[in-house]
């Protein structure tokens, strides 16, 4: 839970996705992104490259790769 709180603080400060298009879900330790764009994917990958995965057991977060079919849809990132 502490990792997720730290993630939320950094995400809120850096805002890799516009504020109106994401929500944190604390019980699931995830962030849901609405209307995902190719630019969002680039920004999210840069965010994790800069800040790590927020999980000491797996410090490097793999780049997010999505098919075009996912654009303009919802995308969930689990932090753990």
């Amino acid at each position: 839970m502490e990792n997720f709180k730290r993630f939320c603080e950094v995400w809120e400060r850096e805002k890799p996705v516009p504020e109106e298009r994401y929500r944190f879900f604390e019980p699931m330790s995830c962030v849901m992104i609405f209307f995902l764009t190719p630019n969002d994917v680039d920004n999210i990958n840069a965010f994790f490259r800069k800040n790590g995965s927020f999980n000491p057991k797996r410090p490097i977060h793999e780049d997010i790769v999505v098919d075009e079919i996912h654009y303009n849809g919802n995308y969930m990132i689990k932090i753990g």
Side-chain angles (χ1 to χ4, degrees):
M1 191 57 75
E2 189 61 36
N3 295 338
F4 183 67
K5 287 181 183 180
R6 199 169 92 250
F7 163 79
C8 292
E9 290 170 4
V10 177
W11 182 281
E12 283 287 312
R13 185 173 58 243
E14 296 187 14
K15 295 199 187 323
V17 175
E19 190 169 0
E20 64 276 2
R21 290 197 299 107
Y22 69 84
R23 296 290 177 270
F24 297 123
F25 293 97
E26 190 171 340
M28 296 171 37
S29 295
C30 71
V31 61
M32 180 68 78
I33 297 144
F34 306 102
F35 308 110
L36 184 73
T37 69
N39 190 53
D40 294 339
V41 173
D42 292 342
N43 292 342
I44 292 165
N45 285 333
F47 171 84
F48 282 115
R49 278 188 220 112
K50 176 183 175 189
N51 296 297
S53 70
F54 299 89
N55 181 349
K57 294 178 184 174
R58 191 192 71 195
I60 297 172
H61 195 282
E62 294 179 23
D63 277 356
I64 294 168
V65 178
V66 298
D67 295 326
E68 283 186 34
I69 196 166
H70 289 99
Y71 292 134
N72 294 315
N74 299 337
Y75 193 80
M76 180 177 72
I77 302 171
K78 181 127 173 74
I79 304 301

